[in-house]
Amino acid sequence: MDFAGVNGGGSVDASSAEKDFVQCEKIVREWARSALEEEIEGDGHTLQDLLFFLHVPRTGGRTYFHCLVKKVYGAALECPRSYDKLRFDPRKPKCRLVATHDDYSIMSMLPREKTSVMTVLRHPVDRVFSAYEFSVEVASRFLVHPNLTSATELTKRIRAKHKGVSTLDIWPWKYLVPWMREDLFARRDARKMKGLSYVNSNDSYNVEEMAMPLHQFINEPVVLDTVHNGATFQVAGLTNNSYLAEAHDVRHCVQKFTILGEHVLQVAQKRLDNMLFVGLTEKHRESAKMFVNVVGPQVISQIASDSSMEGLSKIKSVTEQNSLLSDSELDSNYHQDGTSDQKTTENVSTENLEGIKKNARLLVPDTVLQQIRSLNSLDLRLFKYAEGGAQERVQRFPRHQTLASHCISHMFCLFYTPVCKC
């Protein structure tokens, strides 16, 4: 067997690697067996008392949450904000909806038998691009400060005064943003030393004087640990933010011996099968339609109350006018981190900005794209699995011919307005 991490072919190294593999295989297999046994017991296709929205970063999840999920439940039934680590008591009677970047291991903190799970997946290559862009975008807001020390100290003082959750408290940005911020300041200092006041480049993903190039970003240890195969590890409950004590060892073994990723993928696929709803970013219209025809009627029939119907009647209202509620605005609504409020793209429409990004991505070399695919092999297979199961899920849940369904279908029509369009 060809073991990852073996040096030069020496017998001692080969023997050591074989022992490591045997130990890792045991760790991963035991975890997978336990995880699959837990999944066999439940029926995730019927809405339970608590809905857990497992928000995979950079999938358009906030649009789903604000324009669909939250509109159905209404603000009164939303659990307290907790986008990273559980900061509320899920047993409270009006806590019916929780959305978080916490991975699946949070189920150990929730009433498992009374909890339904939903998520949204995105093509891994696009998600890596988006993670890179967001890391640079948020980190660059600190450049209004004269130096890194000033930015860091002010951020600490502001966060100490506010009870709200900051971007710097949320996985994976609590790892990626400070790291990228330090890199941006270092590059700015280097430009000043060289006397560079302006940098011109046709490739926005490879402007080394300004920001870390994409081809370097994807190979950095922090990115390998938080971004690549991030959706699979999140659904499996194995991120470096996991509640599971064994999560680090399992993830480390899979990263060292990629063949062991098959066990993790098997668990993640099983969990998708048992989820109440799995959406796809690339198929927003079809996914949203399935959500309103499958989840919506169950919510209305379960919590038929004045508060929920009031939430539906106010479907057109938004908390911020002219906001597209896109995932890139993750920290604009409720985070306090000392960054500048100025938007560098304030005069560019979202449609034009997306067009600019797509054109820029065409310049990325095929070798870089292929490396991203290779580094995200588990996520690619999980995404394809979700794609293949999308039609099956639609057939599994026939349309509910009820008044509630009519109301939700009306909500679906309103979803496609400039207010909520992703």
Side-chain angles (χ1 to χ4, degrees):
M1 180 174 290
D2 185 20
F3 298 103
V6 176
N7 297 322
S11 59
V12 175
D13 290 334
S15 176
S16 176
E18 184 173 359
K19 290 179 180 178
D20 286 348
F21 176 81
V22 171
Q23 180 64 23
C24 272
E25 185 178 33
K26 179 181 178 181
I27 291 173
V28 176
R29 281 183 178 274
E30 288 182 355
W31 164 82
R33 177 184 54 77
S34 176
L36 289 172
E37 286 178 354
E38 290 178 349
E39 288 303 308
I40 292 174
E41 298 174 358
D43 176 17
H45 304 144
T46 300
L47 179 66
Q48 303 299 324
D49 295 341
L50 178 65
L51 178 59
F52 164 33
F53 183 6
L54 191 158
H55 182 180
V56 178
R58 313 314 298 163
T59 59
R62 278 184 61 76
T63 300
Y64 255 92
F65 180 73
H66 283 279
C67 293
L68 287 175
V69 186
K70 188 175 179 180
K71 294 297 184 182
V72 179
Y73 273 87
L77 297 178
E78 181 186 355
C79 302
R81 294 285 185 182
S82 182
Y83 250 74
D84 185 270
K85 294 300 182 185
L86 203 61
R87 295 182 174 89
F88 63 89
D89 184 355
R91 294 170 296 182
K92 291 184 178 181
K94 288 190 176 182
C95 177
R96 307 289 289 275
L97 170 65
V98 56
T100 173
H101 281 324
D102 275 317
D103 63 30
Y104 196 91
S105 66
I106 196 179
M107 290 290 282
S108 64
M109 311 293 290
L110 302 175
R112 177 181 288 270
E113 70 283 355
K114 296 182 179 181
T115 302
S116 295
V117 186
M118 65 170 286
T119 194
V120 179
L121 299 180
R122 184 179 187 179
H123 193 283
V125 175
D126 290 330
R127 204 175 73 80
V128 170
F129 271 109
S130 188
Y132 169 77
E133 293 158 2
F134 189 69
S135 298
V136 174
E137 175 194 339
V138 177
S140 66
R141 297 175 193 170
F142 291 91
L143 292 175
V144 296
H145 297 278
N147 53 59
L148 179 60
T149 301
S150 171
T152 304
E153 291 301 319
L154 180 59
T155 299
K156 290 180 180 178
R157 292 197 296 271
I158 291 178
R159 292 170 66 190
K161 294 180 180 179
H162 293 273
K163 295 182 180 180
V165 179
S166 164
T167 308
L168 301 181
D169 297 319
I170 296 174
W171 184 89
W173 315 120
K174 64 181 180 182
Y175 298 107
L176 292 169
V177 172
W179 164 73
M180 183 62 75
R181 178 178 62 186
E182 183 176 348
D183 183 80
L184 287 177
F185 272 97
R187 292 175 192 272
R188 188 177 74 173
D189 292 343
R191 291 197 306 275
K192 288 181 179 179
M193 291 289 292
K194 295 178 181 178
L196 293 176
S197 58
Y198 178 76
V199 177
N200 186 26
S201 174
N202 293 325
D203 185 356
S204 57
Y205 293 101
N206 189 18
V207 189
E208 192 168 1
E209 293 84 358
M210 296 290 293
M212 179 181 298
L214 176 66
H215 64 81
Q216 179 182 342
F217 173 86
I218 62 175
N219 288 297
E220 292 290 331
V222 66
V223 178
L224 293 170
D225 203 36
T226 59
V227 177
H228 299 318
N229 290 320
T232 303
F233 283 128
Q234 199 170 349
V235 174
L238 296 174
T239 68
N240 59 351
N241 198 48
S242 177
Y243 289 86
L244 295 177
E246 66 269 31
H248 172 75
D249 290 338
V250 176
R251 190 179 68 257
H252 173 74
C253 283
V254 171
Q255 291 171 338
K256 186 174 183 179
F257 303 106
T258 56
I259 191 173
L260 297 179
E262 293 293 330
H263 301 290
V264 177
L265 183 65
Q266 184 181 6
V267 171
Q269 290 173 339
K270 181 65 176 179
R271 286 180 174 166
L272 289 189
D273 289 340
N274 288 342
M275 285 186 184
L276 179 70
F277 170 81
V278 179
L280 299 174
T281 305
E282 286 76 7
K283 296 183 178 180
H284 256 310
R285 179 174 291 273
E286 296 90 336
S287 294
K289 187 173 183 179
M290 184 175 72
F291 176 88
V292 299
N293 285 335
V294 173
V295 181
Q298 292 194 63
V299 175
I300 295 303
S301 62
Q302 185 187 82
I303 59 171
S305 63
D306 292 340
S307 61
S308 61
M309 296 311 294
E310 180 183 357
L312 287 175
S313 67
K314 295 181 179 179
I315 186 72
K316 281 189 174 181
S317 66
V318 290
T319 52
E320 292 184 350
Q321 292 298 320
N322 300 322
S323 171
L324 295 179
L325 290 175
S326 65
D327 211 37
S328 64
E329 296 175 357
L330 176 65
D331 63 320
S332 62
N333 292 335
Y334 57 92
H335 297 154
Q336 299 288 339
D337 54 19
T339 60
S340 170
D341 289 332
Q342 182 178 1
K343 301 289 185 178
T344 57
T345 58
E346 58 186 346
N347 295 320
V348 182
S349 69
T350 298
E351 290 81 1
N352 289 339
L353 184 59
E354 288 304 310
I356 292 172
K357 288 180 180 179
K358 288 180 180 179
N359 289 334
R361 291 175 186 180
L362 294 176
L363 298 176
V364 176
D366 288 339
T367 53
V368 176
L369 295 176
Q370 184 55 43
Q371 189 176 15
I372 293 175
R373 296 187 189 99
S374 177
L375 290 168
N376 289 273
S377 59
L378 293 179
D379 271 11
L380 276 170
R381 292 173 63 186
L382 186 69
F383 180 79
K384 290 179 180 178
Y385 184 83
E387 274 189 315
Q391 187 59 39
E392 179 184 341
R393 294 186 193 98
V394 172
Q395 295 172 352
R396 184 191 303 152
F397 299 106
R399 182 181 179 87
H400 295 254
Q401 298 298 329
T402 64
L403 176 61
S405 180
H406 174 74
C407 293
I408 301 297
S409 295
H410 179 57
M411 180 189 73
F412 167 66
C413 295
L414 293 173
F415 171 73
Y416 294 101
T417 66
V419 171
C420 291
K421 184 176 65 175
C422 181

